[in-house]
Amino acid sequence: MIVLKSQREIEKMRKSGQIVSKILQELKAMVRPGISTYQLDQRAETLIDQFHVRPAFKGYRGFQHCICASINEEVVHGIPSKQRIVQEGDLLSIDFGVIYEGFYGDSALTVGVGSISEEKQKLLKVTEASLWKGIDQMQVGHRLSDISHAVQSYVEKHGYSVVREFVGHGIGHELHEDPPIPNYGRPAEGPVLKTGMVFAIEPMVNQGDPDVMVLEDGWTAVTVDGKLSAHFEHTIALGDNGPEVLTI
Ligand code: MG
Ligand code: MG
């Protein structure tokens, strides 16, 4: 069941989203060759305390950190570690969420470490643009899979593939609510979109094949072919006048 949010609830989710965005932007600004994903996670924890919010991921199904940090061929759910030190030319995806007054915000971005090749810049650009293609379809009266289809067709048009195993989701009092939001599919299927729906749309885009597998740590998802992957995510509320990105 898709839980619709009232104006009052969306007001709280807006605040939650703004805090997610502020912290994520600060983490992004810290990324440089030689920094460990553990240092980024520690900084996230400090900022969470300063904003008087709670981490969305720490404690989630036993995950012990505030961010997911996924490098290069890692798609999502990378575990922060002192041993994972990013190098010039790497791609680093940071996924982050908080809980503010009982409401979740969830967002992710991928950043190049130092200077990156044009090929890598293109992967980031297409992945982020595909998220906005999906957001554009979040309109009252559209169907859920219009979002999915817009993301997939944009990504494939540029020669990349979308991950199937992980999907976007409704969000609110829970981190993962109905509906699941795949980044692939035919248009005009699934629930009709209504005012008060709040979604986390999050394309995961692979340079090569779409296939992913989870490593022995039980969390880190990587591409099977070892090629690069990128990930962008926003939390978005659907109002009478269209989508409002909350994590911005
Ligand atoms: Mg996320
Ligand atoms: Mg999410």
Side-chain angles (χ1 to χ4, degrees):
M1 189 190 68
I2 302 174
V3 180
L4 300 179
K5 279 77 182 178
S6 67
Q7 278 306 320
R8 235 179 92 85
E9 290 172 323
I10 287 174
E11 184 53 47
K12 287 181 181 176
M13 295 197 73
R14 193 175 283 130
K15 181 78 186 170
S16 180
Q18 282 166 358
I19 293 169
V20 168
S21 173
K22 277 186 186 154
I23 295 177
L24 199 48
Q25 288 304 323
E26 179 150 349
L27 298 178
K28 181 185 175 184
M30 285 174 69
V31 174
R32 54 177 164 73
I35 198 167
S36 72
T37 55
Y38 176 84
Q39 285 173 279
L40 293 168
D41 186 60
Q42 289 293 103
R43 183 64 185 150
E45 186 140 24
T46 301
L47 292 167
I48 279 168
D49 287 341
Q50 287 178 6
F51 279 100
H52 305 293
V53 290
R54 288 196 294 130
F57 304 164
K58 194 173 184 174
Y60 183 84
R61 295 189 185 168
F63 195 78
Q64 290 173 18
H65 303 274
C66 297
I67 65 169
C68 296
S70 310
I71 304 171
N72 294 332
E73 79 286 356
E74 297 174 354
V75 179
V76 284
H77 304 162
I79 302 170
S81 160
K82 288 178 181 168
Q83 276 74 49
R84 298 310 308 275
I85 296 166
V86 294
Q87 313 288 345
E88 179 94 20
D90 281 345
L91 296 185
L92 173 65
S93 301
I94 305 171
D95 195 344
F96 177 69
V98 305
I99 313 166
Y100 167 80
E101 293 193 5
F103 285 96
Y104 282 82
D106 188 10
S107 184
L109 52 80
T110 303
V111 60
V113 181
S115 67
I116 58 169
S117 67
E118 253 175 56
E119 191 190 10
K120 289 174 182 175
Q121 286 175 33
K122 187 190 160 201
L123 176 65
L124 300 194
K125 210 174 127 195
V126 170
T127 307
E128 188 169 16
S130 76
L131 167 58
W132 287 97
K133 293 287 173 189
I135 292 169
D136 285 346
Q137 291 300 317
M138 196 172 162
Q139 304 288 346
V140 173
H142 284 204
R143 307 277 292 258
L144 184 69
S145 81
D146 292 332
I147 297 170
S148 313
H149 180 74
V151 171
Q152 181 182 22
S153 44
Y154 185 80
V155 166
E156 293 182 351
K157 191 172 81 184
H158 288 86
Y160 301 131
S161 63
V162 290
V163 170
R164 270 62 168 177
E165 281 84 351
F166 302 99
V167 297
H169 48 94
I171 181 168
H173 275 308
E174 303 290 336
L175 177 59
H176 296 133
E177 297 186 354
D178 278 342
I181 307 171
N183 295 300
Y184 60 94
R186 291 181 302 197
E189 292 179 352
V192 174
L193 306 185
K194 292 178 185 160
T195 297
M197 289 183 176
V198 185
F199 294 164
I201 304 177
E202 50 178 315
M204 287 144 271
V205 173
N206 292 355
Q207 200 179 33
D209 294 332
D211 310 314
V212 301
M213 61 184 183
V214 174
L215 298 182
E216 278 172 7
D217 63 23
W219 284 102
T220 313
V222 298
T223 58
V224 173
D225 63 13
K227 292 188 178 176
L228 297 169
S229 189
H231 179 210
F232 284 84
E233 176 180 25
H234 275 306
T235 296
I236 308 119
L238 180 52
D240 294 329
N241 299 319
E244 180 194 355
V245 179
L246 304 179
T247 43
I248 212 161

